[in-house]
Structures are given as structure tokens and as C-alpha cells.
Amino acid sequence: MVRTLLVRGLWAGLLAGLIAGGFAFAFGEPHVDSAIALEEAAAPPAHEPAGSSAHGSDEPAAQASGEAAPHDHGHDHGEEAVVSRPVQKAGLFLATGLYGLAVGGVFALVFAGLRGRVGPRSDGRLALATAGAAFTAVVLVPFVKYPANPPAVGDPATINDRTLLYVVIVLVGLAATAIAVATARRASSADPWVRWVAAAGGFLVPVIAAWMLLPGVDEVPGGFPATLLWEFRIASLGTQVVFWAAFGVLFGWASDRVSARHAATTRPATAPPTSPTTSSTPPSPASSS
Amino acid sequence: MSGLTTPSAAIPFPRLRLWLPAVPVLLLVAYLVLMDNGAVSQTGAFLHELMHDGRHLLGVPCH
């Protein structure tokens, strides 16, 4: 059963990743190209002395990349790049596909643990609810604090700090979601409105605290077009929306079929519906409405 | 649509625990795709550059 769910999760994740890659290729790549064009126009090629650029040093982008030039050789987007632009665009599908595979596998195991213990009683609904919660925790919460940036935005020297802060806010999002679910379960005897408010509070208090307490990152070069930044960020968020929507539907459908098959073969043996693990949960009519 | 209404039973924790070793492996894949800059993969900038557009568009910090 767990193995079947894991395999379905890997497949659903891979497929959803490729679908999201298709969205990102169509709606995101043009903005990546525009940003790289700006980056190359602003930065002199690495083999020329910094400052010989015709654009002058009054452009903040040129300043930023000029400062970073000595240790920036690993990240040229030009002809001397380690990976050419066409290969990077193919790599997009590899990246989103592998991301989906990894996320789908972890999701399936978490789902197997939640199943029958927390959330909606049926697999399809639980998959959709869990995918929505995961999207909120892993994408939305980080995006509000540290939104996606196109190339040419972000100081290469701070990548380790920014990555660490990003991991921290992802963990905060996951922890806050867990706190919200636990709070809702604790308030299970209360009426639904109290339960929803308790869950929202359990989620929002740690998330808003993290948004306020974690240091901000403001590395957008002064001359960078605001429209391009906005459109890139919307395309990036859209990529994640497409991924989680596709994954939720695919995995929900797959897990539904797994449980239907499982039920068909084992239903006579596991007939008693009241097991010790489900006794603390609210009665099913409330959760399925 | 049967599963949308059929209640499902919990899977016992000992059966789940058997599959825990898969989690670090899957997280390693996610790390290599999203965050590695050569320290773990030992490919220098290659893996980072290959995953470059995906990192940017998935919203992960990149260079």
C-alpha cells in the first residue's frame, strides 16, 4: 500500500513537473531571456577590464556586477558559459521534472501517514487538501517574503545567506501548517467556526512573526525594469501553481484508484471502522461536509 | 469518484517506518536540483547552470 502510493507519487510528481516545465517554458522563459539580455548589456565581458563598458558606472547593475566580477566567472550567461542557453532551456524540464519527482515522493509518504488520521476521510479530497496546504507552506509563505527573482537580480556574493533564509522560511511554513492542523484537531469539539479561527491563528501567528523577524533581501538593481520583475515573478508563481494543481489532481486521482483497489481486496478483513487511531478525530459527517 | 466518499483506514506506523529511508534520498535530489553549487555534486558550476532556469522559475534563490 505504502509502496504503491510512493510509486504513484513519484509518477504524478514527474508528470506534474513536466507540465509545470511546459508552463514555465512558454510563459517564463521570455522573461528570463529579457533579464539575461539586460544582465549582459550591463556587465562587461569577464575578459575585459571592468569599467571599459560604454554604459558607465552610473548604472547600479553595472556597479553591482563590476564589484562581483572577480568571483563571478562561474556564472557567465554568454558564449563562454558552462551550459549554453538552449541547453539551459532543456535543463528547465529536467529541473522541474526532478523537482516533481522528489516532491511527489515525499508528499506520497506524508500522505500515507496522514491518511485516516488527519484531514478529509477520503483519498481524493485528502490529496487535494494536502496539496493546497503544501503549496501554501512551501511556495506562498516563502514567496511573500523572498519572491522569485530573474537573472541579473541578486548579488552572487549573498547566495549562501539567501539560500539559508529561504530554507528557514520554508521550514517555518511547514511548521506553521503542522501547528494549524494540530490546533484544529485540539479544538475538534468546538463548532466549525471556532476550529477554523483556531487553525488560522495557529498558522498565521508563526508565519507573520517570521515575515517580520527575518531579514529582508533587497538586491534589485536600480535600473531594472519593474514590469519585467513583476511579470517574471507572476510567471514563477504561476509555474508553482500549475505544478501543485496538476500534482494534486493527478495524485488525488491515483490515490483514489489505489484505495478503491485496496478496499476491493481487503474490505472483508478490515471491516470494523473504529480503530484506536481514528477515535480521537471528529465524526466524519463534519469533516466531509 | 468512489474515493471521494469512501473513508480510508490509517496505515500502521510500523509499516510507514519501513519507507522512511526514501525521504533523505528524495530530499537529496531536491537539494541537488534547487540549491547545490558544486559542494555536494562535485560538478562545479555545471549542475547549477543546467538547472539554472528551473531554479529561477521555481522561485528558489539563484546566484
Side-chain angles (χ1 to χ4, degrees):
Chain A
M1 180 82 196
V2 183
R3 192 179 72 93
T4 316
L5 283 174
L6 176 60
V7 171
R8 302 289 163 103
L10 293 170
W11 275 113
L14 179 64
L15 206 56
L18 293 176
I19 293 169
F23 177 91
F25 185 82
F27 297 101
E29 281 292 354
H31 304 311
V32 176
D33 285 336
S34 305
I36 288 175
L38 282 172
E39 189 178 34
E40 287 176 345
H47 53 265
E48 276 177 37
S52 71
S53 159
H55 295 272
S57 60
D58 56 338
E59 252 185 77
Q63 265 181 1
S65 51
E67 283 164 13
H71 50 88
D72 198 24
H73 299 290
H75 205 89
D76 293 328
H77 291 288
E79 293 156 45
E80 303 159 55
V82 187
V83 176
S84 69
R85 285 296 298 143
V87 177
Q88 282 186 334
K89 289 184 181 182
L92 167 68
F93 288 91
L94 184 66
T96 58
L98 284 174
Y99 170 81
L101 196 75
V103 167
V106 174
F107 184 98
L109 292 175
V110 172
F111 176 89
L114 295 177
R115 189 176 180 274
R117 294 190 172 90
V118 177
R121 299 293 94 176
S122 69
D123 288 84
R125 280 180 208 272
L126 179 62
L128 291 176
T130 312
F135 169 77
T136 307
V138 179
V139 179
L140 269 190
V141 168
F143 196 90
V144 171
K145 181 72 180 178
Y146 303 118
N149 280 326
V153 173
D155 180 359
T158 64
I159 179 65
N160 288 336
D161 297 338
R162 283 184 288 127
T163 302
L164 183 65
L165 288 172
Y166 184 84
V167 171
V168 168
I169 194 91
V170 167
L171 293 177
V172 168
L174 288 170
T177 306
I179 291 169
V181 172
T183 311
R185 272 170 63 98
R186 193 63 57 88
S188 61
S189 59
D191 78 294
W193 286 105
V194 174
R195 221 164 60 211
W196 280 106
V197 170
F203 176 76
L204 285 175
V205 168
V207 164
I208 291 176
W211 281 342
M212 289 170 68
L213 295 176
L214 286 172
V217 174
D218 182 14
E219 297 178 347
V220 182
F224 198 86
T227 313
L228 176 56
L229 185 62
W230 167 255
E231 286 174 346
F232 173 85
R233 285 177 173 175
I234 292 298
S236 168
L237 192 60
T239 302
Q240 287 281 12
V241 169
V242 168
F243 171 77
W244 284 101
F247 179 76
V249 169
L250 285 169
F251 187 78
W253 177 72
S255 62
D256 246 4
R257 291 176 59 93
V258 172
S259 70
R261 201 181 60 184
H262 190 75
T265 52
T266 60
R267 180 47 47 101
T270 58
T274 50
S275 70
T277 48
T278 54
S279 60
S280 63
T281 55
S284 54
S287 61
S288 64
S289 60
Chain B
M1 296 296 282
S2 63
L4 288 179
T5 49
T6 313
S8 49
I11 300 168
F13 281 120
R15 293 228 327 256
L16 286 171
R17 214 171 294 138
L18 294 175
W19 295 93
L20 275 187
V23 173
V25 176
L26 292 163
L27 290 180
L28 177 66
V29 172
Y31 169 82
L32 287 173
V33 171
L34 299 175
M35 289 167 185
D36 186 67
N37 288 315
V40 173
S41 69
Q42 296 299 317
T43 62
F46 174 77
L47 197 67
H48 175 113
E49 290 295 313
L50 184 62
M51 303 298 175
H52 172 268
D53 290 17
R55 287 187 186 194
H56 277 288
L57 282 161
L58 287 169
V60 175
C62 195
H63 67 97

